[in-house]
Amino acid sequence: VLIFIIMCAALAMSQFMRAALSVVAPDIIADTGLALDQYGTLAGAFFFGIAAAQIPTGILLDRFGARVTVALMQLLAAAGTIAFVLFDGFWAMFAARFITGMGFASALMGGLVLAARWVPKDRFAQVAGTLIAASQAIGLLLAATPMAALSAVEGWRAAFLLAALVTVLTSMAVWSMVRDAPP
């Protein structure tokens, strides 16, 4: 159970990062001077990164397992988020969001790989569905009012820095507590 709670947290951060950009759009646009079309493209960079990393992520999951792959890729996602906070230009911010997306590419598939290894076949769909539903609910809820409130008080950059910190913490939890297969 603990493994799936941790994987739910990792996937929730991916869902959070996917949605948080839209919540603080006015703040980021005002701060960086991005045009609306640039901002829309910036939002898509996250998904481009996830898409670009799918095949390499599958290879890494097969070769090194979910624990190593997810933990290290979560660190990549945190690094991309920190870079996003530090940059102002469109292309630099695009690259940072792309890297963030690449880093989160393993969150869903890592959880599904673990479910396939830990859960009886007749319960796989239930566990996988619960993992996806719970992580989406948590991630999207945190990306709404809490993100908007924190951004209003501390600014969007501080809010994303906090998200990067939480991503690092999920990486550490995956590294220290997740096991790729039952003993």
Side-chain angles (χ1 to χ4, degrees):
V1 174
L2 180 62
I3 289 173
F4 293 103
I5 291 171
I6 292 167
M7 291 307 296
C8 182
L11 186 53
M13 286 311 300
S14 176
Q15 296 298 329
F16 172 88
M17 288 294 184
R18 175 174 69 91
L21 204 63
S22 62
V23 173
V24 294
D27 300 333
I28 295 174
I29 291 169
D31 187 37
T32 62
L34 292 172
L36 292 178
D37 62 332
Q38 288 177 314
Y39 196 78
T41 303
L42 189 68
F46 181 83
F47 299 104
F48 295 145
I50 287 177
Q54 286 305 299
I55 292 173
T57 296
I59 294 168
L60 292 171
L61 286 167
D62 288 343
R63 172 92 170 134
F64 300 107
R67 176 181 161 261
V68 170
T69 302
V70 174
L72 294 179
M73 289 186 77
Q74 290 272 301
L75 292 178
L76 181 65
T81 303
I82 292 167
F84 179 72
V85 166
L86 297 176
F87 298 141
D88 281 329
F90 169 72
W91 287 110
M93 293 177 83
F94 182 93
R97 284 291 290 178
F98 185 90
I99 291 168
T100 301
M102 288 180 68
F104 280 120
S106 67
L108 173 59
M109 291 312 300
L112 296 179
V113 165
L114 289 169
R117 292 182 179 161
W118 280 88
V119 175
K121 290 177 185 171
D122 62 331
R123 293 198 49 231
F124 176 82
Q126 176 190 12
V127 170
T130 301
L131 174 70
I132 293 167
S135 64
Q136 281 189 337
I138 293 165
L140 297 178
L141 284 172
L142 290 174
T145 303
M147 179 63 171
L150 183 58
S151 181
V153 173
E154 297 294 333
W156 70 270
R157 293 178 196 268
F160 275 104
L161 280 176
L162 179 60
L165 174 62
V166 172
T167 302
V168 168
L169 294 175
T170 62
S171 170
M172 293 168 57
V174 169
W175 183 264
S176 62
M177 293 184 234
V178 168
R179 297 295 167 254
D180 286 316

